Amino acid sequence: MFNIRTRRTALAAAALTASAALVLTGCSGGGAETAATYDPDEKVTLDLAFWGNDVRADLYKTAIASFNEEYPNITVNTSFLGFPEFWEKRQTEAAGGGLPDVMQFDYSYLRQYSENGLLLDLNPYLGNIIDTEPLAQNILDIGVVGDETTGIPTSTNAWGLYTNPKLLEEVGVDDFAGGDWEDYDAWMKDVTDAATAKGVELWGGTDWTGRIQNFEVQQRAQGEDLFTEDGEPNFTEDDLKAFWEQGDTIRTDGTVIDQQRLEEVYPLSGFDSALTASELTWDNFGAGYLGNLGTDFTELDLLAPPVTEEGAKDLYLKPSMLHAISAKTEHPEAAATLVNFLVNSPESGAAFGTNRGLPASTTALEGADLDPLSQQIADYETSIADRLGDAPPVPIVGYGTLEEKFRQIGQELGYGTLTVDDAVSQFFGEMDVVLNQ
């Protein structure tokens, strides 16, 4: 059994030796400069920010405790928020020049923050403080914007469909057997109707047209990513209208949970409030769901999303998250040491399992003791191999803004305060602003 208190890897030792002995040529915010020699005895304090919930916060606490066994001189202060609030705060900090030293980072925002010179170029630290041997080149390439490496992926994940077997058993409905989007809608209605008949407050799921990722899956089934390599939209107003119109029936006939009920349980979703039996989301959300659902729930099922076109390469592996460093950090070598630990160390793998997605680093994966849910995620990503295509281009600057706008429009469609035509006009108006800013 792997012991996080006694095992000290060659990886960690090499990182410490290299960081203590080498004078590195660094690049901060695009300007090259000589980085100071890292002193392992210097007392350093780093701020680390991440999105998540109390479950993930406890995992970070465990990982940082292991980190401090090796680097007692580096104090790490952590803070976390929900995903939308996390990026609202980062935008405020970016405007004021005060980003945290180390940040959990989302692929959607990587180009935007990188091209604005807000993230440290990690190239000078690769191969010494940040060990690259455990990371495949295509994984490292994910964090490259222009000619700078500004993020290191911690893990990969894929889009999937979570279902709750306990709730399904309670209302007497079998798990989703697969099929297209209409089949999924019909299954959700069966669940909702069965729950109503038994007097149980439960819906089959949430309006899936409120997530831009489901639109992306359908577009990729037609052979089109949402945006081209040049950052031009690969879809038309008619494409988006047709997508949102797919939700007209389920939003009005009670098949899916209503928007007001979702607002009442926010920041939880309907799924981890035990109000819906299914949720389309990234596969690494499972641990958080179980943590929020509580001890009455011990397992979830993870299935492939509905099919748009048979044989299409509509799914892909993406970085579930990356770690990045502020270009203005006063301690780049210490920050790089923390990033290396969070990405590569077996201790980190042991702490997080697949909470951040399947570890991208072979040494982190080696340290991960995959619990049943984690093994389920690993098996799931193997099972969808025939649907996996190439990852889309690095998201355009402002993609995160568009993703959030898509979510907000989905809420308005759920409330019935916006028509589909108006929704399309709003989104394309926002996209025009983002693409031309």
Side-chain angles (χ1 to χ4, degrees), residues 61-280:
K61 183 177 180 179
T62 298
I64 291 169
S66 296
F67 175 75
N68 283 143
E69 290 182 5
E70 298 183 27
Y71 306 101
N73 59 302
I74 303 177
T75 299
V76 182
N77 295 326
T78 64
S79 63
F80 72 95
L81 292 166
F83 188 83
E85 295 81 10
F86 177 91
W87 290 108
E88 289 172 5
K89 186 165 187 178
R90 298 294 83 79
Q91 289 171 4
T92 300
E93 291 169 340
L99 287 171
D101 297 284
V102 178
M103 295 159 281
Q104 190 175 279
F105 224 81
D106 188 71
Y107 198 38
S108 301
Y109 291 90
L110 189 65
R111 185 184 297 275
Q112 176 181 348
Y113 279 69
S114 298
E115 291 185 349
N116 285 326
L118 296 169
L119 303 181
L120 186 71
D121 180 12
L122 302 178
N123 284 334
Y125 307 96
L126 298 180
N128 38 71
I129 292 181
I130 299 176
D131 191 0
T132 57
E133 286 298 319
L135 297 163
Q137 189 60 49
N138 66 325
I139 295 296
L140 287 168
D141 289 345
I142 287 172
V144 176
V145 179
D147 59 356
E148 295 185 351
T149 300
T150 52
I152 306 293
T154 61
S155 44
T156 59
N157 61 0
W159 197 246
L161 174 65
Y162 272 105
T163 62
N164 189 317
K166 180 177 181 179
L167 294 178
L168 291 174
E169 182 179 5
E170 184 178 346
V171 298
V173 177
D174 291 336
D175 214 340
F176 180 55
D180 61 20
W181 297 91
E182 290 184 356
D183 293 327
Y184 177 51
D185 289 347
W187 176 83
M188 286 195 294
K189 190 172 191 312
D190 287 346
V191 174
T192 302
D193 289 348
T196 300
K198 289 181 176 290
V200 176
E201 187 186 26
L202 179 71
W203 289 265
T206 305
D207 175 18
W208 48 268
T209 68
R211 300 293 298 274
I212 197 171
Q213 289 83 4
N214 292 318
F215 182 46
E216 179 182 44
V217 167
Q218 292 196 3
Q219 286 298 110
R220 281 175 60 88
Q222 311 302 324
E224 303 286 357
D225 289 310
L226 291 185
F227 295 91
T228 68
E229 290 282 357
D230 296 327
E232 295 299 321
N234 237 352
F235 58 94
T236 66
E237 292 188 6
D238 286 342
D239 291 331
L240 185 53
K241 180 180 179 179
F243 175 77
W244 270 327
E245 284 179 342
Q246 292 175 77
D248 282 348
T249 300
I250 61 175
R251 282 192 293 267
T252 57
D253 71 357
T255 291
V256 297
I257 186 170
D258 62 271
Q259 190 61 45
Q260 181 58 47
R261 192 70 180 94
L262 285 174
E263 291 298 319
E264 291 169 1
V265 298
Y266 185 82
L268 297 181
S269 70
F271 190 70
D272 48 3
S273 301
L275 292 173
T276 62
S278 69
E279 181 83 347
L280 283 151

Side-chain angles (χ1 to χ4, degrees), residues 333-387:
E333 293 80 17
T337 301
L338 177 59
V339 167
N340 179 67
F341 190 92
L342 292 174
V343 171
N344 279 321
S345 73
E347 291 91 341
S348 181
F352 288 103
T354 58
N355 179 268
R356 303 178 300 177
L358 279 177
S361 163
T362 56
T363 47
L365 184 59
E366 175 189 337
D369 182 11
L370 299 185
D371 59 22
L373 178 60
S374 300
Q375 188 60 56
Q376 190 176 12
I377 293 170
D379 293 342
Y380 167 70
E381 292 193 6
T382 299
S383 74
I384 59 173
D386 61 341
R387 287 180 66 174

